[in-house]
Amino acid sequence: MLVLGLESSCDETAAAIAANGRVVAESVRSQIDLHQKYGGVVPEIASRAHLEAVEDLAQAVLRKAGLKLENLDGLAVTLGPGLVGALLVAVNFAKGLALATKLPLTGVNHVKAHAQAPFLYTDSPNPPTFPYVALVASGGHTSLFLVEDHLNLKVLGQTLDDAAGEAFDKFAKLLGLGYPGGAVVEKLAAKGRKEAYQLARPLIREGLNFSFSGLKTQVRLLYEAENLDNRPHNHPDLANLAASFQEAVIEVLVAKLLTAVKMTGATGAVLAGGVACNGALREAAQVALSQINRPLWTSPVKWCADNGAMIAFLGAKQLEKGQNLLDLAAEAQPRWAADSPMPTL
Ligand code: KG4
Ligand code: ZN
């Protein structure tokens, strides 16, 4: 089945074509440059940039794949969750395409799609086996799921306040490192000592929910008390603080991932979402899973972050079962929980 997937839920516009699970063409346009000076995503700017990009990207992937719209079997679009004005762009564009081509269109849950990223491949596939635990950690979400099959998952735990990616972003903002924070904090942390500062491990032994806002406050108070704002950006104290902060987040994420796998008897674990780009997190999760003889499935970083391939992939699975079909009345779903059926429209 050949499916075109479209994504515009946050600050990346993306399109991809998947054929029976294999990614045959993809294109992503990041808006980071546009939002950077504001220190976060500005919804109005995001919608406008999606509008300018979505058609180009759809055409680009068709061209790359050597296909025309009439060669496709279906269309898929992120219906939610995300910024409503941003979601609307790809949803309306996809509705237009569906109307013009008479292709079936399915609505995909963005977070559910993240949880299946390791199924995507271009070369040698090493797909996860069900049921597995997925940790989806991004700028907007931090959740643990038991993924039973492509179409069904259960929430095991989620953040009670900030998402892990949001914690990285806020930490970066505190240090004046720019937006988004994850990659730059990881780079700075690599130069520091993770034992340098004793930071909290929030809720580490209390169930499967997460909380990162207390850690954020602890770091801010420490930063102020030690006058770290007077240090140049590459000062060892800041690298030490970054390393200690990153270690605290990683320890919590990995401890809960491990507990979830043990509790559910899952086959192994998937790491996904933008925070799964973090090399130290990938390494720590790998070590933890190997200690209980379970595999850790990850994907190349381009598929951990927001992308169209995951939407095309899960969209194809839904189209095979005739699930979440959208008509012209379909509306974007900014708060759609990953384990809930598509809201009736
Ligand atoms: O999944 P994603 O691309 O978009 C959302 O759906 O939110 O995730 C973006 C988040 C941002 O908060 C960013 O700071 C974080 O992922 N991130 C990282 C790294 N790369 C991106 N966090 C930690 N380490 C990284 N290397
Ligand atoms: Zn995402």
Side-chain angles (χ1 to χ4, degrees):
M1 181 177 267
L2 268 174
V3 175
L4 169 65
L6 297 165
E7 152 72 36
S8 70
S9 66
C10 189
D11 59 350
E12 260 107 23
T13 325
I17 295 175
N20 304 318
R22 193 167 187 274
V23 183
V24 293
E26 62 185 320
S27 200
V28 179
R29 193 174 299 173
S30 169
Q31 305 176 359
I32 284 176
D33 292 356
L34 300 176
H35 300 293
Q36 218 151 29
K37 67 173 170 216
Y38 302 102
V41 178
V42 182
E44 177 63 27
I45 293 176
S47 308
R48 199 175 281 261
H50 286 308
L51 205 54
E52 284 165 8
V54 69
E55 188 185 347
D56 279 4
L57 294 188
Q59 280 182 353
V61 292
L62 284 165
R63 210 169 37 243
K64 277 190 204 170
L67 296 169
K68 295 203 171 349
L69 275 175
E70 53 266 32
N71 303 125
L72 298 175
D73 300 300
L75 304 166
V77 67
T78 303
L79 195 68
L83 300 167
V84 68
L87 288 164
L88 274 173
V89 175
V91 168
N92 284 334
F93 180 75
K95 285 201 281 189
L97 277 186
L99 184 68
T101 58
K102 311 228 167 6
L103 287 169
L105 168 63
T106 185
V108 173
N109 183 295
H110 177 93
V111 180
K112 194 171 179 177
H114 266 307
Q116 303 190 41
F119 282 101
L120 300 172
Y121 70 99
T122 41
D123 301 318
S124 52
N126 172 27
T129 50
F130 297 116
Y132 62 82
V133 169
L135 171 63
V136 180
S138 70
H141 309 273
T142 296
S143 302
L144 277 165
F145 299 108
L146 183 66
V147 184
E148 294 163 335
D149 55 49
H150 292 298
L151 302 181
N152 294 290
L153 50 69
K154 286 199 179 85
V155 177
L156 299 171
Q158 58 200 334
T159 185
L160 304 174
D161 40 58
D162 293 353
E166 191 180 352
F168 272 94
D169 294 339
K170 287 178 175 167
F171 179 82
K173 197 168 182 177
L174 177 73
L175 269 63
L177 300 173
Y179 173 87
V184 51
V185 172
E186 180 178 8
K187 221 167 136 198
L188 183 61
K191 297 184 201 138
R193 287 186 307 108
K194 57 190 184 192
E195 313 77 26
Y197 293 95
Q198 300 300 309
L199 300 176
R201 293 346 187 210
L203 304 183
I204 193 158
R205 268 174 270 284
E206 291 159 52
L208 294 177
N209 286 332
F210 301 91
S211 166
F212 293 109
S213 80
L215 179 61
K216 171 189 70 187
T217 308
Q218 186 188 17
V219 170
R220 183 175 51 76
L221 294 176
L222 193 65
Y223 182 80
E224 287 166 3
E226 303 218 351
N227 286 321
L228 294 180
D229 55 341
N230 293 325
R231 311 279 202 281
H233 277 165
N234 55 359
H235 193 280
D237 284 352
L238 296 179
N240 285 340
L241 189 63
S244 305
F245 165 79
Q246 177 176 276
E247 182 64 9
V249 175
I250 290 177
E251 254 190 62
V252 172
L253 293 175
V254 172
K256 289 184 188 260
L257 181 63
L258 199 62
T259 306
V261 173
K262 287 189 201 157
M263 254 175 61
T264 56
T267 55
V270 156
L271 260 192
V275 181
C277 298
N278 187 290
L281 170 62
R282 289 162 85 103
E283 213 177 296
Q286 184 68 62
V287 169
L289 267 288
S290 68
Q291 278 164 1
I292 57 164
N293 289 319
R294 291 282 193 284
L296 176 78
W297 295 286
T298 53
S299 54
V301 292
K302 67 173 177 179
W303 290 330
C304 289
D306 286 351
N307 65 86
M310 66 183 191
I311 306 303
F313 174 83
L314 180 53
K317 298 289 173 201
Q318 293 180 183
L319 287 166
E320 279 165 15
K321 301 270 188 234
Q323 201 185 76
N324 293 4
L325 294 179
L326 304 182
D327 60 22
L328 287 182
E331 284 175 19
Q333 298 297 326
R335 273 179 286 279
W336 182 12
D339 60 337
S340 301
M342 186 175 71
T344 42
L345 307 165

